Amino acid sequence: MKGLFITLEGIEGCGKSTQLGLLREHLAARGFDVVTTREPGGTPAAEAVRAILLDPAHKALSSTAEALLYAAARAQHVDELIRPALEAGKIVLSDRFADSTTAYQGAGRAISMETIQTLHNIATRGTWPDLTIILDLPAVEGLRRAARGGAPDRIEQEPLAFHERVRGEFLRIAHAEPDRVRVVDGSRPVDAVKQEIRDLVDQRVGAP
Ligand code: TMP
């Protein structure tokens, strides 16, 4: 694979969507061919699955169905957008990817890590990030920030303890895979976070 696959992860309100836009500007200014995308979503079919997943009306959605829908959206996203872009030598920046399933469905919903791994194998078929940046901050602060964005979606409505399990799992993943995953303190001002992310990514793509 010729391209580079970078993902931004973290709990609700961690600032990753803002930072993804800033990182795209930086890499585009450096002359790289960049594709930005998100999960769940990134393609028309996967965006349709996203609408189901986040709709607060689907209170009855089971943990198993939820996990399969996230995996289905990912399978489509990988096949239709991510893998072709990487094969064309582009840098793909994704707002969330499979680590979110490990954190939200594994730790959050208590689905076994064996099942989560099976879902990852099916959905990604080996397409995995080269670099993952986790924006970390306390769950209570993230939820406070997310609440400013309007009515909470189905996942944001989960209790604080759920979001604390998710945060803990992201930190565990970072600890387990230090070569791929880096943690950035997302509680600082946007510019400080932006600079640290740029430095991490420049190290990976080569300093200007
Ligand atoms: P977003 O709000 O960051 O766009 O993400 C959508 C929501 O979906 C967010 O609450 C996290 C959740 N999510 C999962 O539970 N599992 C997943 O695999 C992904 C990609 C997102």
Side-chain angles (χ1 to χ4, degrees):
M1 212 69 77
K2 290 176 290 188
L4 190 74
F5 185 20
I6 300 175
T7 60
L8 262 63
E9 297 275 9
I11 61 166
E12 317 297 321
C14 69
K16 61 189 168 39
S17 307
T18 304
Q19 292 296 339
L20 195 93
L22 294 168
L23 181 57
R24 181 194 46 211
E25 279 172 20
H26 172 67
L27 288 169
R30 286 198 53 196
F32 290 103
D33 200 348
V34 184
V35 174
T36 54
T37 187
R38 68 171 180 181
E39 287 214 346
T43 77
E47 289 288 335
V49 176
R50 176 187 179 95
I52 298 172
L53 279 162
L54 299 186
D55 187 344
H58 298 314
K59 289 207 184 336
L61 196 64
S62 72
S63 297
T64 306
E66 178 184 287
L68 288 167
L69 286 169
Y70 277 112
R74 180 161 308 123
Q76 186 63 32
H77 190 208
V78 166
D79 284 349
E80 189 179 340
L81 189 149
I82 298 174
R83 194 174 297 128
L86 293 174
E87 277 166 1
K90 297 180 181 172
I91 297 183
V92 176
L93 298 181
S94 186
D95 184 335
R96 298 194 183 281
F97 190 66
D99 293 311
S100 278
T101 293
T102 308
Y104 283 83
Q105 282 64 54
R109 302 284 191 218
I111 290 179
S112 81
M113 287 301 168
E114 199 188 337
T115 300
I116 296 291
Q117 191 53 52
T118 302
L119 291 173
H120 288 339
N121 294 344
I122 295 169
T124 71
R125 287 187 292 124
T127 297
W128 205 251
D130 299 294
L131 173 65
T132 295
I133 294 169
I134 292 172
L135 297 188
D136 180 57
L137 81 174
V140 70
E141 173 60 18
L143 289 179
R144 191 159 41 226
R145 289 189 191 177
R148 287 188 218 128
D153 63 35
R154 200 177 55 82
I155 305 276
E156 285 167 357
Q157 286 179 356
E158 289 298 325
L160 180 61
F162 175 93
H163 296 281
E164 281 172 342
R165 286 199 298 283
V166 172
R167 180 194 187 197
E169 182 62 20
F170 277 130
L171 294 176
R172 192 201 61 76
I173 294 169
H175 192 254
E177 296 181 65
D179 288 341
R180 172 178 70 92
V181 185
R182 308 300 292 267
V183 178
V184 168
D185 178 355
S187 66
R188 292 170 305 154
V190 171
D191 273 354
V193 176
K194 176 183 84 176
Q195 196 52 52
E196 192 175 344
I197 291 176
R198 283 184 180 183
D199 291 346
L200 284 171
V201 170
D202 283 345
Q203 275 169 28
R204 192 56 70 108
V205 298

